[in-house]
Amino acid sequence: MPVKALYALQNGFIGFETSGLFYGERSPDRVAIPVTCYAIRTGDATILFDTGISPRAVPGLMRRDLLARFAEEDLLVHRLDTLGLDPRDIDLVVLSHLHFDHAGGADIFPASELAVQKDEYAYAHYPAAFLASFYYKKNFDLPGYRWRLLDGDAEFAPGVTVLRSDGHTPGHQSLLVELPESRPVILAADCCYWQRSIDEEIPPGVVWDPTRAMHSIKRLKTIARLTGGRIFPSHDPGFWSKAIKAPDAYR
């Protein structure tokens, strides 16, 4: 059955260098950026897109990062609780990629299927040195968990389609959600950090392949144009301040 609702879940804020947000930027300034996850209800399943930061990482971030902000209610398990959901109620967890701020909560879903691009899963276990600090192996080295390793686009349910959007990482993926009452939404994840990334087609400053990252931005924009959809950037505080947040929903 088709999508019923899309919920935006806040998972705190972290500080990040402007040079890491936009390819070619050299500013040393730091800004507070939101960490975001999304839950999707369909007629047959409940799907989660990204899992934010691991609770075990929060104390250290709070000590080291003056811009970090985490309240108890920001923990993913509590955000799900506002929707009447327990981690065991999540049928499928779609991970855009395996960086610490997107895959940190994967371990709380032992009963769910975890979907990631196979190239991302392989790279995350043996990353290049310049990206290694973004991958925490304990977040995704989960013996006994059920992984679905994808190779490109895939439809998970009517109205829920993963879109390969690599460049930020070797196996990055975004999610197209076709809503029942309004325009489709493309959850870009780190293909597009900010609205500026979309408007000016600027790849992330943290990037595995800037050329592929540029092509992925253009691809998402083309799909949005063809479907009449909207692209939701992952870490834009301006966008997030106006977003409809759970328990309210996009429909």
Side-chain angles (χ1 to χ4, degrees):
M1 294 180 67
V3 173
K4 291 184 174 181
L6 169 68
Y7 301 91
L9 310 174
Q10 181 172 307
N11 187 226
F13 285 78
I14 59 174
F16 206 66
E17 294 79 11
T18 306
S19 60
L21 293 173
F22 306 110
Y23 187 72
E25 177 68 57
R26 295 293 179 263
S27 171
D29 293 344
R30 288 172 59 84
V31 295
I33 60 172
V35 179
T36 60
C37 313
Y38 291 87
I40 302 113
R41 290 189 191 269
T42 75
D44 299 319
T46 302
I47 299 170
L48 185 68
F49 184 63
D50 281 342
T51 63
I53 288 175
S54 170
R56 64 178 173 268
V58 170
L61 281 170
M62 294 291 285
R63 287 194 303 270
R64 298 189 306 269
D65 183 353
L66 296 179
L67 294 177
R69 303 201 305 271
F70 288 91
E72 183 70 17
E73 59 266 25
D74 288 328
L75 295 178
L76 181 56
V77 67
H78 297 318
R79 293 297 182 195
L80 291 174
D81 188 54
T82 67
L83 302 178
L85 294 172
D86 182 271
R88 291 169 294 183
D89 299 321
I90 304 299
D91 300 289
L92 175 67
V93 177
V94 181
L95 296 165
S96 63
H97 60 303
L98 296 177
H99 282 181
F100 73 91
D101 55 331
H102 293 263
D107 65 328
I108 70 172
F109 299 100
S112 309
E113 190 172 34
L114 306 176
V116 69
Q117 293 289 322
K118 68 176 183 180
D119 290 343
E120 181 69 12
Y121 189 76
Y123 185 85
H125 283 82
Y126 302 98
F130 73 101
L131 284 178
S133 64
F134 293 93
Y135 289 106
Y136 293 175
K137 192 172 182 180
K138 64 178 62 177
N139 288 338
F140 49 83
D141 187 12
L142 303 171
Y145 284 60
R146 293 184 296 131
W147 289 91
R148 187 194 301 190
L149 301 182
L150 306 172
D151 186 14
D153 297 356
E155 184 181 62
F156 292 128
V160 183
T161 304
V162 73
L163 304 172
R164 176 93 178 219
S165 53
D166 50 309
H168 174 60
T169 66
H172 189 280
Q173 57 188 6
S174 305
L175 197 69
L176 172 63
V177 182
E178 298 174 55
L179 296 171
E181 300 173 15
S182 60
R183 297 160 58 198
V185 165
I186 297 174
L187 304 175
D190 283 2
C191 180
C192 307
Y193 277 156
W194 280 29
Q195 184 63 42
R196 178 186 166 195
S197 310
I198 302 165
D199 296 341
E200 301 179 26
E201 298 181 354
I202 304 174
V206 175
V207 66
W208 169 70
D209 185 325
T211 301
R212 292 193 187 194
M214 173 66 75
H215 283 303
S216 290
I217 295 171
K218 290 179 178 292
R219 181 183 191 225
L220 295 192
K221 291 180 70 171
T222 298
I223 293 171
R225 184 172 66 253
L226 292 174
T227 62
R230 301 165 284 177
I231 300 175
F232 285 11
S234 62
H235 293 302
D236 187 335
F239 166 82
W240 193 246
S241 69
K242 300 174 183 176
I244 299 171
K245 300 176 188 65
D248 296 324
Y250 291 91
R251 300 187 191 275

